Amino acid sequence: MSAASQSVGRRERKKQEKLDRIVAAASELFAEHGIDEVTTQQIADKADIGTGTLFLYAKTKGELLLLVQNAKYAEALEQGRADAETVPGVLDAVLAIVRPIVECNRNQTDNGRTYLREIIFGAPEEPRHGEALAIVAQTEEAVATVLRRDDRVTEGDAATLAHIMSAVMVLSMAAGVNIALSVEEIVQDIRRQVDVLLPR
């Protein structure tokens, strides 16, 4: 290995170590205090980096929240996808996908609602936002796959229904009137709405 490639490897490792420290610090502080009560200076201090360095990785607290939450939502989706494979009914299988996502979202309600707001209104060209949108697309794809179990649902209709169900999920999780609802109450709210959309 050449000295130049060793230098690049070392530099990449240092960048990854800083990113890991930032994610750990932001994750801990957001979980403990909520995103609105945490400053970027607190995150930088906890990660043992300067704020200038922090802004190289994420320019806003919203981007930091995306950085922290994207991996958690991706894990929730994988859990839901695996759960859905063992559930025979279409509606119950869709809800098997939905439940871990709702649980992830409600782990810290304010952070969950802010995460959804960042997905909807964030800058799509920002890499963390792009990752979040990819998770939404993968969720819709997983739901569409389940919907296609019903022979009456065409591929195009499955994709459209999954997109509508995604909107239902977001509104149920983000709506101010639902702040005090439990995970089970949110899932049941989504269930009622999704049930109306399914073919009879």
Side-chain angles (χ1 to χ4, degrees), residues 40-186:
T40 52
Q41 184 64 56
Q42 288 171 309
I43 295 167
D45 289 346
K46 189 160 191 70
D48 195 27
I49 59 169
T51 52
T53 301
L54 177 65
F55 291 130
L56 292 174
Y57 291 87
K59 293 175 181 54
T60 65
K61 279 199 302 184
E63 287 181 23
L64 280 166
L65 184 64
L66 289 170
L67 179 65
V68 167
Q69 295 290 86
N70 281 344
K72 294 177 182 178
Y73 276 76
E75 288 172 14
L77 172 57
E78 284 312 306
Q79 179 64 55
R81 200 180 268 163
D83 293 347
E85 288 179 12
T86 64
V87 176
V90 170
L91 178 57
D92 289 335
V94 167
L95 293 170
I97 294 169
V98 168
R99 181 176 295 280
I101 295 169
V102 174
E103 289 170 351
C104 182
N105 179 266
R106 292 317 238 201
N107 194 26
Q108 213 289 358
T109 304
D110 289 339
N111 291 348
R113 294 177 73 226
T114 302
Y115 178 76
L116 296 174
R117 188 172 57 238
E118 285 296 322
I119 292 173
I120 296 167
F121 298 111
E125 67 278 357
E126 196 280 317
R128 309 299 175 210
H129 185 264
E131 292 167 9
L133 291 174
I135 295 165
V136 171
Q138 291 162 16
T139 303
E140 290 180 11
E141 183 183 305
V143 169
T145 297
V146 167
L147 293 173
R148 285 193 297 272
R149 293 180 188 175
D150 186 327
D151 294 337
R152 297 169 294 176
V153 179
T154 66
E155 193 160 325
D157 285 351
T160 300
L161 281 168
H163 192 62
I164 294 167
M165 290 176 191
S166 181
V168 166
M169 284 175 57
V170 168
L171 286 174
S172 292
M173 291 186 291
V177 296
N178 291 349
I179 286 176
L181 296 185
S182 68
V183 167
E184 188 57 37
E185 289 169 322
I186 297 272

Side-chain angles (χ1 to χ4, degrees), residues 25-36 38-39 43 61-62 64-66 68-69 108 111:
S27 183
E28 184 179 328
L29 289 167
F30 289 160
E32 189 174 333
H33 304 288
I35 187 171
D36 293 334
V38 176
T39 67
I43 295 167
K61 279 199 302 184
L64 280 166
L65 184 64
L66 289 170
V68 167
Q69 295 290 86
Q108 213 289 358
N111 291 348

